[in-house]
C-alpha cells in the first residue's frame, strides 16, 4: 500500500467532500435558460474544477453567448434552493476531517466561490470553523490548473508546499497540485483513475474516507 508522509491535507470541495456535480449542473442549466442557452449536462465536463466563472461561462460561450457574472449569481440562487436535497453526501467526511486534524493541518481549497463552499459545508453539517483554513475562488486571481489556490492554502496554514497533500477529483486540480510542488491523491468520480494518475496523482481512491489508510 502506498503511504504518503504529509504535515497538511488540503481538500478540494466538489467531488471530494461532497458530490455537487448533478446539483450544480442542474442549477447552471436552469440559470442559462434565462439567457437563451439550452445546455446539456455533458457540456460542463471540460470545465470541471475550474470554478463557476469557467464552468458556466465556458458553456455559455459554446453556444455563442457572452458570459456575464449575473449568470453565476442566478445559478447560485438556484443551487442554494436545491442543495439540501440534491447534493450527494459521502460517508464519514466529517469524521475523516476531524481524525486528520488530530495530527495534521487541514484546509479546503475550492475553485468555487465562498458562497457555494458555505452551502456545501452546511449540507455536511460543517462550517469553515472545522478547517484550519478555507481558500476559495474568491480569494485568488488565477484558477486551477494554476497552483495559486494551493500555494495560498499552504501559506495560510503555515506548511511548506512539499509537506502538503492535496485531495482532488479533477484533472485541473491534480495538475495545480503538481505545479505547487505538492503530492496528490485522486478521488474517482468525474475522471478515470488512469487520467488522474497520468496528471500526477500518486494514487487514487474510490471514496475520500479511504485516504486515511494512505496518510502518515
Amino acid at each position: 500500500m502506498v503511504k504518503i508522509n504529509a504535515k497538511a491535507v488540503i481538500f478540494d470541495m466538489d467531488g471530494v467532500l461532497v458530490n455537487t456535480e448533478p446539483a450544480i449542473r442542474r442549477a447552471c442549466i436552469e440559470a442559462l435558460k434565462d439567457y437563451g442557452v439550452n445546455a446539456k449536462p455533458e457540456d460542463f465536463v471540460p470545465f470541471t474544477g475550474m470554478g463557476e466563472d469557467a464552468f458556466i461561462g465556458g458553456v455559455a460561450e459554446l453556444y455563442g453567448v457572452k458570459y456575464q457574472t449575473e449568470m453565476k449569481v442566478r445559478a447560485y440562487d438556484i443551487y442554494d434552493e436545491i442543495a439540501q436535497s440534491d447534493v450527494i453526501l459521502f460517508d464519514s467526511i466529517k469524521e475523516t476531517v476531524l481524525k486528520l486534524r488530530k495530527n495534521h493541518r487541514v484546509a479546503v481549497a475550492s475553485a468555487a466561490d465562498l458562497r457555494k463552499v458555505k452551502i456545501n459545508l452546511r449540507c455536511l453539517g460543517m462550517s469553515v470553523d472545522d478547517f484550519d483554513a478555507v481558500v476559495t475562488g474568491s480569494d485568488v486571481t488565477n484558477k486551477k490548473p494554476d497552483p495559486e489556490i494551493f500555494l495560498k492554502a499552504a501559506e495560510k496554514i503555515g506548511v511548506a508546499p512539499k509537506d502538503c497533500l492535496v485531495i482532488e477529483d479533477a484533472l485541473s486540480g491534480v495538475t495545480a497540485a503538481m505545479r505547487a510542488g505538492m503530492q496528490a491523491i485522486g478521488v474517482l468520480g468525474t475522471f478515470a483513475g488512469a487520467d488522474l494518475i497520468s496528471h500526477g496523482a500518486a494514487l487514487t481512491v474510490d471514496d475520500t474516507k479511504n485516504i486515511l489508510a494512505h496518510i502518515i
Side-chain angles (χ1 to χ4, degrees):
M1 178 182 290
V2 177
K3 293 281 188 177
I4 297 175
N5 196 345
K7 294 179 180 178
V9 180
I10 303 174
F11 290 94
D12 176 43
M13 172 64 73
D14 300 338
V16 173
L17 294 178
V18 287
N19 181 357
T20 64
E21 290 303 318
I24 192 60
R25 288 182 191 182
R26 175 185 166 192
C28 291
I29 287 170
E30 290 301 313
L32 285 170
K33 285 180 181 177
D34 294 345
Y35 298 86
V37 175
N38 292 307
K40 300 184 290 294
E42 57 268 27
D43 293 334
F44 297 90
V45 173
F47 309 103
T48 298
M50 298 180 181
E52 265 65 55
D53 291 296
F55 195 71
I56 301 170
V59 172
E61 289 170 8
L62 285 178
Y63 289 84
V65 177
K66 185 177 180 180
Y67 174 62
Q68 304 171 48
T69 55
E70 291 81 3
M71 295 174 176
K72 179 173 67 174
V73 173
R74 176 63 180 140
Y76 279 161
D77 287 342
I78 298 169
Y79 185 75
D80 200 357
E81 294 173 1
I82 67 174
Q84 206 66 46
S85 59
D86 284 28
V87 166
I88 301 167
L89 305 183
F90 298 133
D91 291 338
S92 306
I93 290 299
K94 187 170 185 177
E95 291 82 355
T96 298
V97 171
L98 294 178
K99 284 180 182 177
L100 281 170
R101 283 197 72 180
K102 291 179 180 179
N103 297 299
H104 299 79
R105 302 287 282 172
V106 179
V108 170
S110 172
D113 289 2
L114 180 60
R115 181 182 179 190
K116 185 184 176 193
V117 169
K118 286 184 174 180
I119 293 169
N120 292 339
L121 290 175
R122 185 182 71 211
C123 292
L124 284 168
M126 301 177 74
S127 74
V128 295
D129 295 331
D130 290 304
F131 297 86
D132 295 301
V134 173
V135 183
T136 71
S138 309
D139 302 315
V140 297
T141 302
N142 304 299
K143 304 296 176 66
K144 305 172 188 176
D146 188 277
E148 181 182 0
I149 195 167
F150 290 133
L151 293 173
K152 184 160 285 191
E155 181 182 1
K156 280 196 168 188
I157 58 180
V159 177
K162 66 181 179 62
D163 294 320
C164 294
L165 171 65
V166 171
I167 313 301
E168 263 285 357
D169 73 312
L171 303 184
S172 60
V174 172
T175 298
M178 296 301 99
R179 291 177 178 175
M182 302 176 181
Q183 298 184 82
I185 291 178
V187 179
L188 300 177
T190 305
F191 296 97
D195 293 331
L196 291 165
I197 295 292
S198 71
H199 279 69
L203 61 105
T204 62
V205 294
D206 59 4
D207 192 309
T208 302
K209 68 182 179 183
N210 295 332
I211 65 172
L212 291 173
H214 297 279
I215 300 173
I216 299 173

